[in-house]
Every structure is written in structure tokens, then in C-alpha cells.
Amino acid sequence: MDAKKAIKYYDRKFEKAKEVRQSYESTWEDIMTYIAPDLKGYLHTNNKDRGEREDSLIYDNTPTKSWLDCSSGMFASIASPSRPWMQRTMADDSYNDIPGLRSWLDTVTKKDYSILHRSNFYKCNYTVFAHLSAIGTALIICEPDYDKITHWTVPNIGEYYLLVNGKGIVDTVFREIEYTAEQLKGLFGEKALPKDIVNSITEANPTGGKYTVRHVIEPDSQGVVPFRKPWASVYYLPDKKYDDMQIIDVKGYKWQPFAAPRWYANNNETYGKMQPGRVSLGNCQQLSTMIFDYMDAVDQELNPATQGPPITGAIDRRPNKHNIIEPGAGGLQDPTIRRLFETNPQLQIMWAAIQDKREQIKQDFYLDLFMPITTGGYDTNMTATEVTQRRNERMLALGPVLENVNTEYLNPITEIEYNYATEAQAYPPIENYVTEDALEALQGEEIKTEYVSVLAQAQKMVDLDRIDTTLTYAERLAALDPTVVMKVNTMETIDEVAKMSGAPGRMLRSDDEVKEMQEQQRQDAEQQQMVEQAQAMANVAGQASKMQMDQDNALTRFLGVE
């Protein structure tokens, strides 16, 4: 490994990443100023632990609360710890009917949930959605953990820089992190650090000096990773004075160890756009101005500027200020203190405009979707069917966003978690669930993840409505022509409904199991028919044995006996 060559390459790439991000920063700062103030301290400083308030220009908390509610709504509707949101299945759907395979896949899914619950994933998951809805971009990094299999980290906006490849996919992450010498020693070991960094730790200064470390994750284009793993993670000191000691840690990964979801990005754009925070920014700025003007008008009414004799001075138009007027000035003879000027603010109109602006902001953050009852999105006279249809219509508005979240966030993180769990041998052996022949047939077949969250199901409910409509018409037509029911393939229908609703795989029997049951029912029916026929014949024979052969009856006439 040529360390100096690699660092030169990383430095050039880092400068390009800084240049790309710079054009987004002014918009991010405005969003943080008017919507997400607690993210603001990270954009231009390395001091993460800041307690100062950053909301001095926010005169109404509707934007901030709408952002938080939107983040919570996405968290609960897409990947919540309290309800199922994914399930493992075979990429080739024909294999899902193999006896025992669905049971194994359900067991794997339950283990996935257990691993994610034990780790810090769900805490980080909420932060990802908070960053997405405000800034339009988020970053989550996963490292293996000996005790909990996975450990997740979400750097804040301002702490990282991204680059995309030729396909418009984020494949490079840079971070600049400020560590104390004590932290560096604990993370990387004393031997990996230059002597002057180690020596900065003294009895008088137990944490040592502060040092900037640059971290890059990218496809290993420089060949720095041993054993030729495809992804590299490199920590190095950008200060050139350390020369050959610049690289302090190198790790390799078999797969991409991060996900960088974006709300929406055009081709080859690096950071997300069209997120609620960006769309609503103008409304949020207007709301601050409107609230300021409204409160100023109220203050003018409650504490108006006044005038009266006898002291001279400049006129002060601010509320609660008294202006002294000399007798006779401007024809004024009455010494009574009075308003300096008459105002007639239309407070009701101003307040109505403020309320309208608040509602616009709530809609910008999809609160009519995530909190329809609180925001008055549903009429109390609506039927349950109407409520469901309206909810589904609103959820369709998030369809493109959900596709981006699936592609750039859920797919990578579920793949990372599955890979680490497989390496840790966390899943039960599939051999305990399927036959040897089935196991051989499954060799080389891929497992995929289907999403069954509230939002994902809402997207599928449109197809379910079509199925329901078809079956409803079939039921009506069957009253006129009973043969119509023969047109409906009920077995395929229940399979499709189960997929759309995200039902556990073990709920339904495989096609082979159903065929065996149908064959057994057919055999039972035939056997019952044979028993009934034998019983009928026995009854006939018994009756015939009781007939008198010397009398005229059906039997004697049949036999021709006179």
C-alpha cells in the first residue's frame, strides 16, 4: 500500500466533496433557522454538545412541531419497533411454496427483529427520518458488534460529505471529526498514533490536545484494504506534518457499510431536495413575519404611543412610549395625554391569515396524512370505508418518497443486518426445516425483503381494492349465473391477498399441502360413497329376502315365477 499516494487521492476527492456540498449549505442553514433549530449547531462547528438556544427567529412553534410530527409519522408508518414492517421471502416466488420454507423464513424475520431491537437501530432510525424530512438527506453507518451483532451511527448534517458514482448512487462518505488525544488512543491504540499526539496526554491535561481526523468510506480504489475486500474505511490525519503516520486505521468490508437515503434526487445530484423542510421554508419564514407583525399590532393597541405637553423631544413611535408636545405645537391646546396616532389594525383578518399559513405548513409536512384526526382531516360523519379510501389516497402521495426510502435506506440496512447476522450464525439452520431435495434446489437462490409497514400496505391496498371490487361483482353475477364462480381462482386470490396484507407466511399452507388435502378429501368422499352404495345394496338384499316367492310381487314378476 502506497499511503502517501492514497492520502493525496483522498484529499483531492475530499475537496471535490466539499465543493459539491457548499451550494446546499445556505438552504440547510435557513431550514435549521426557521424549522429545525436543534440541528443548526452541527453545520459550522465541531462542538456537538451545545446547549444554547438556536430558535431566536422562530416566533411560532408550528414549523418545528410539524417537522417533529412528520418525523414521528414516518418512523411509525415505515419502520416502527411496535409493529411488523418487513419480512424475508424468496426472490423467486415459486420457491415460497416449498414445505417448511415459509416457516424458516418467518423464523429468520423474527430473529431480524430481535437483532434490531437489541441494537440501537430504532433510536437511529428516528433520527434518519428527522434528517430526511428537514434536510432531505441522511446518513447511517453500521459496524459489527460482538454482543449485539450490529451497532448503528447517524452523523448529523454538517458532519459529513457525500459523492455519487456514475449511476447517481452515493458510494463515498467523508467525515471530519475532532477527537482528543485520549479518545484517539482509546479508539485506535497508542501504536497507531504519532508520538506528539500521545505525549499531549499529561497529568495536567489528561485528555490531551484536540486533533482533526478525516474518515473516508468508499469502494477500495486505492487497494489499501488487506484481503482485497471491496469496501474500505480509512481514518487518517490530514495534517501533513505527520507524514508517514497519517493513516491511523484501515478496515475492509464485504459489503457497503452505510446507507445515504435522500428524499428526492435528480440524476447525479448528490443531496436530496423537495423534502417538506425545503418545500415549506417560504411558508415558515412568512409565518414568523406574520406573527411578529400581529404581535406588534396587538402591542400598539394595548400600549399605544402617546402625546401630550410640556416637554420637547423626538417622537417615539414604539408601543408604550410617551411623546411630550409643547403647548400650541400643531394647534394643540388640550394638555390631555392621548394616542400619538389612531390605528385600526384588522386583527381578525391578520389572525385568520396566520391560521391559514399554519395549516399550509402542516400540509407541507403531511400531517393531514399522519395525524388526520388531530388536524381535522376527516369528517366525523364519514363512514369507515370513506375514511379508508381517503387515507389510501393521501398515502399514495408519498409513493415516490417511499420508493426512494426503500431503495436507498431500507434495502441497504436490511441487507447489512442480514449479512452480519449470517456471519454471526444467528439464524437456525435451514436444514432443520426443508428436505435435502428442497435444500439442493434452493442453492444459489436469493432471499429478498418485502416491506409490510403501514405505509407500504397502503400502497398495496389499491390493488386489494381492485380484488375486492372484482369479487363483489362476481358475487352479484352469481345470483344470475351460478357458473360465474367457476371463473374465480380462489386459491390464487387468497395468496395475492395475503401478500398485499403482509400476512405471515406460515398462515397459509403450500400448494402441495392443499393438493394433498384435496386428494385426501376426494378419497374420503369416494370411500364414503362406496360405503353408502354397499349399505343401499344390503338394504335391497334384505328386503328381497323377506319377499314370498309363492305370491305375486315385483320380484316374482321379474324372475318370471308363476
Side-chain angles (χ1 to χ4, degrees):
M1 175 183 69
D2 189 338
K4 291 184 178 180
K5 178 183 176 182
I7 288 176
K8 286 182 180 179
Y9 171 79
Y10 295 146
D11 284 342
R12 289 195 300 269
K13 206 169 182 180
F14 176 71
E15 291 303 319
K16 177 62 178 177
K18 285 181 65 176
E19 179 185 344
V20 170
R21 200 189 82 174
Q22 189 174 9
S23 63
Y24 291 84
E25 291 179 357
S26 61
T27 301
W28 292 350
E29 189 158 9
D30 286 343
I31 292 171
M32 294 173 185
T33 298
Y34 291 95
I35 300 172
D38 287 336
L39 301 182
K40 192 174 183 180
Y42 294 83
L43 191 57
H44 299 300
T45 178
N46 287 322
N47 183 10
K48 301 178 184 179
D49 194 7
R50 294 173 58 91
E52 300 93 336
R53 291 182 60 178
E54 300 282 358
D55 58 354
S56 59
L57 293 180
I58 297 179
Y59 304 125
D60 186 291
N61 70 350
T62 299
T64 302
K65 193 172 186 309
S66 298
W67 162 56
L68 295 175
D69 288 340
C70 177
S71 305
S72 299
M74 295 186 69
F75 174 76
S77 301
I78 296 177
S80 167
S82 61
R83 64 186 70 182
W85 57 272
M86 70 163 182
Q87 65 182 26
R88 305 292 187 181
T89 184
M90 299 303 298
D92 187 340
D93 192 55
S94 62
Y95 289 105
N96 288 317
D97 289 329
I98 293 177
L101 183 58
R102 287 191 180 187
S103 180
W104 179 76
L105 290 170
D106 284 346
T107 304
V108 168
T109 302
K110 287 183 177 180
K111 188 63 180 179
D112 291 328
Y113 285 134
S114 175
I115 292 171
L116 293 175
H117 273 283
R118 288 177 56 206
S119 72
N120 64 331
F121 169 74
Y122 285 108
K123 176 183 176 182
C124 294
N125 186 41
Y126 175 80
T127 308
V128 166
F129 289 121
H131 290 184
L132 266 181
S133 57
I135 306 300
T137 306
L139 175 66
I140 184 169
I141 302 172
C142 185
E143 294 283 354
D145 185 271
Y146 179 79
D147 295 320
K148 299 181 179 179
I149 299 181
T150 59
H151 180 78
W152 307 82
T153 302
V154 179
N156 214 323
I157 287 292
E159 293 183 300
Y160 61 86
Y161 305 81
L162 305 178
L163 288 173
V164 298
N165 60 20
K167 297 179 180 179
I169 300 171
V170 176
D171 71 343
T172 301
V173 175
F174 279 96
R175 293 194 294 161
E176 277 199 325
I177 314 166
E178 189 175 81
Y179 289 118
T180 65
E182 183 185 37
Q183 290 173 326
L184 289 173
K185 183 179 177 181
L187 285 171
F188 306 111
E190 185 175 326
K191 293 182 179 180
L193 303 176
K195 288 185 178 180
D196 65 332
I197 293 180
V198 177
N199 293 338
S200 71
I201 303 175
T202 64
E203 185 175 348
N205 184 14
T207 61
K210 290 185 176 181
Y211 302 90
T212 297
V213 175
R214 196 169 289 166
H215 179 208
V216 56
I217 303 175
E218 63 144 20
D220 188 17
S221 59
Q222 300 303 298
V224 298
V225 178
F227 309 112
R228 299 303 299 166
K229 292 181 179 179
W231 287 85
S233 169
V234 180
Y235 288 84
Y236 70 97
L237 298 164
D239 194 333
K240 302 303 180 186
K241 74 177 183 179
Y242 296 115
D243 199 20
D244 293 336
M245 292 291 291
Q246 281 187 262
I247 292 182
I248 56 178
D249 186 67
V250 176
K251 293 180 181 177
Y253 300 91
K254 297 178 182 177
W255 45 78
Q256 179 176 308
F258 67 87
R262 296 164 293 177
W263 189 273
Y264 175 84
N266 290 312
N267 187 35
N268 290 328
E269 287 184 335
T270 306
Y271 297 93
K273 295 179 178 179
M274 296 170 60
Q275 72 276 13
R278 189 183 183 107
V279 170
S280 191
L281 180 57
N283 282 333
C284 296
Q285 290 172 323
Q286 289 175 17
L287 179 63
S288 286
T289 301
M290 293 167 71
I291 290 290
F292 183 88
D293 291 342
Y294 177 81
M295 297 308 299
D296 182 63
V298 171
D299 209 13
Q300 289 282 4
E301 286 297 296
L302 298 178
N303 302 294
T306 58
Q307 62 179 348
I311 304 173
T312 60
I315 295 177
D316 192 336
R317 296 170 58 89
R318 290 176 295 171
N320 208 27
K321 294 296 180 179
H322 177 62
N323 293 270
I324 307 303
I325 306 297
E326 289 292 344
L332 179 66
Q333 301 298 328
D334 185 0
T336 304
I337 296 176
R338 65 183 69 186
R339 285 176 178 267
L340 179 63
F341 50 85
E342 293 298 325
T343 60
N344 185 27
Q346 301 295 318
L347 294 180
Q348 290 184 341
I349 295 176
M350 294 176 69
W351 186 250
I354 288 172
Q355 290 293 88
D356 183 62
K357 189 60 62 177
R358 285 173 169 172
E359 291 304 313
Q360 290 180 32
I361 292 171
K362 292 177 182 179
Q363 290 181 7
D364 291 340
F365 282 92
Y366 298 96
L367 295 200
D368 56 337
L369 166 63
F370 295 124
M371 303 177 67
I373 297 177
T374 303
T375 57
Y378 292 155
D379 187 344
T380 54
N381 295 322
M382 292 171 61
T383 65
T385 302
E386 290 173 329
V387 170
T388 301
Q389 290 176 343
R390 182 168 295 189
R391 183 198 64 182
N392 292 343
E393 287 177 0
R394 290 174 175 174
M395 285 194 172
L396 286 177
L398 280 176
V401 177
L402 185 61
E403 286 301 316
N404 276 356
V405 169
N406 289 350
T407 302
E408 297 189 347
Y409 180 45
L410 298 184
N411 287 352
I413 63 170
T414 53
E415 182 178 351
I416 291 169
E417 182 273 333
Y418 179 82
N419 290 335
Y420 281 133
T422 301
E423 279 197 341
Q425 298 181 346
Y427 300 131
I430 191 173
E431 295 86 351
N432 297 346
Y433 291 80
V434 300
T435 64
E436 291 184 5
D437 291 340
L439 187 62
E440 184 176 351
L442 290 169
Q443 292 298 318
E445 295 296 327
E446 294 184 2
I447 294 176
K448 71 175 183 178
T449 304
E450 287 189 351
Y451 302 109
V452 295
S453 64
V454 173
L455 199 54
Q457 288 185 40
Q459 307 294 317
K460 299 176 183 178
M461 289 300 287
V462 177
D463 291 331
L464 191 58
D465 288 342
R466 289 200 290 264
I467 291 176
D468 186 59
T469 300
T470 302
L471 293 178
T472 300
Y473 274 101
E475 182 182 14
R476 293 176 182 175
L477 291 173
L480 302 174
D481 182 2
T483 60
V484 167
V485 297
M486 300 174 64
K487 188 72 173 177
V488 180
N489 187 334
T490 54
M491 296 299 178
E492 289 295 329
T493 300
I494 193 62
D495 282 344
E496 290 298 321
V497 171
K499 289 177 184 177
M500 293 175 188
S501 62
R506 64 181 68 189
M507 276 187 61
L508 301 182
R509 296 184 175 92
S510 67
D511 290 345
D512 291 339
E513 290 175 319
V514 172
K515 288 178 181 178
E516 289 180 5
M517 295 177 65
Q518 290 174 334
E519 178 63 23
Q520 184 63 47
Q521 286 183 345
R522 187 186 65 79
Q523 293 177 4
D524 292 344
E526 289 181 353
Q527 186 175 0
Q528 181 64 27
Q529 186 178 13
M530 292 174 61
V531 170
E532 291 175 355
Q533 289 176 350
Q535 184 65 40
M537 292 177 64
N539 291 339
V540 171
Q543 292 176 2
S545 65
K546 296 177 181 178
M547 291 183 178
Q548 301 295 325
M549 296 301 293
D550 57 353
Q551 296 179 1
D552 181 29
N553 54 50
L555 180 59
T556 57
R557 286 196 297 273
F558 176 77
L559 296 175
V561 177
E562 297 181 358

